[in-house]
Amino acid sequence: MKLQFDANETGKKIKHYREQQGMTRADLANAIGCSQQAISILECGNADPSLSGITNIANALNVEPSWLLVWKPEDEE
């Protein structure tokens, strides 16, 4: 079975862990050196983060990078 990256669910996880840490989008953006708009775009599932981006976000949120990534079967919509 082939898998594809699920940006929408990954964005939801980023938001969940950010809120769990009591961080705003601006806090997370400052922590990883990007714009607040970039965090918004990721959390809404409108962009695929890079591997280094996921690593930076995970480090800022004190979680494992694998906790943020969501995969689904390729044929599932």
Side-chain angles (χ1 to χ4, degrees):
M1 168 178 27
K2 291 184 179 182
L3 297 175
Q4 66 183 19
F5 177 72
D6 189 334
N8 190 44
E9 290 301 316
T10 294
K12 288 178 185 178
K13 286 193 168 210
I14 292 169
K15 181 178 180 180
H16 167 78
Y17 288 114
R18 175 182 58 77
E19 290 177 341
Q20 189 176 55
Q21 292 291 326
M23 297 175 81
T24 65
R25 286 179 176 166
D27 293 334
L28 181 55
N30 288 334
I32 66 170
C34 74
S35 70
Q36 184 176 341
Q37 183 180 16
I39 300 299
S40 178
I41 290 168
L42 288 174
E43 287 185 352
C44 292
N46 294 328
D48 294 344
S50 66
L51 184 55
S52 64
I54 283 291
T55 302
N56 291 338
I57 292 168
N59 288 336
L61 298 175
N62 297 310
V63 299
E64 294 293 324
S66 62
W67 295 4
L68 301 177
L69 298 173
V70 179
W71 301 88
K72 66 181 179 180
E74 195 171 73
D75 56 341
E76 190 177 293
E77 289 294 334

